[in-house]
Amino acid sequence: MNSDTPNHPLPDGDDPRASKASREARSIVRFMIEHTAYGGVGALVFGALVLFFDIGGIYSLAMSSRDAPVFIFLLFFGLFITFGGISLGIGIMTLGGFSDDDRYRDERTRNRDDVDRK
């Protein structure tokens, strides 16, 4: 597309959606959704196992109530929030693993070396 079209006033090279910041933002959002989905799958499996094995009589208690669908929804909603948050937290905390190696030279060590040389 060229810059003369009224729908796209910016030239192709200046499209803000193609900027490095935009790509990084999409990458971060994709990372967060992916890890939250992993936690959601874990919540579904755990909740289904708890109900299937009737741990603590929770399934029997829920099915004897007239509000069983609300109970089941609240159980899985709470599990999804918990497991999703834990999965997202683990994903975020493991991001820094590459810089824990002393041989890894990031910009902090490069800047420190530049100051030491002066």
Side-chain angles (χ1 to χ4, degrees):
M1 296 193 183
N2 59 22
S3 61
D4 297 335
T5 59
N7 294 337
H8 296 284
L10 297 173
D12 287 338
D14 294 335
D15 186 10
R17 291 173 293 184
S19 68
K20 182 178 178 184
S22 177
R23 285 192 308 271
E24 287 181 8
R26 281 193 300 271
S27 173
I28 290 169
V29 170
R30 184 174 33 249
F31 174 85
M32 291 171 58
I33 290 172
E34 181 179 328
H35 280 80
T36 305
Y38 293 151
V41 170
L44 286 174
V45 169
F46 180 75
L49 290 174
V50 165
L51 291 175
F52 180 76
F53 290 112
D54 199 16
I55 296 176
I58 197 166
Y59 180 75
S60 303
L61 185 64
M63 291 301 120
S64 66
S65 171
R66 62 186 173 94
D67 296 325
V70 174
F71 173 79
I72 300 297
F73 171 76
L74 290 174
L75 172 70
F76 280 97
F77 182 75
L79 288 173
F80 180 78
I81 295 296
T82 302
F83 280 59
I86 290 170
S87 176
L88 183 59
I90 289 172
I92 290 171
M93 286 187 275
T94 57
L95 280 175
F98 70 93
S99 65
D100 291 339
D101 185 7
D102 290 336
R103 294 169 296 178
Y104 179 76
R105 293 182 49 84
D106 61 353
E107 63 186 46
R108 291 173 295 171
T109 58
R110 281 192 290 264
N111 291 338
R112 186 175 54 229
D113 290 345
D114 292 342
V115 171
D116 292 341
R117 290 181 196 158
K118 293 181 181 179

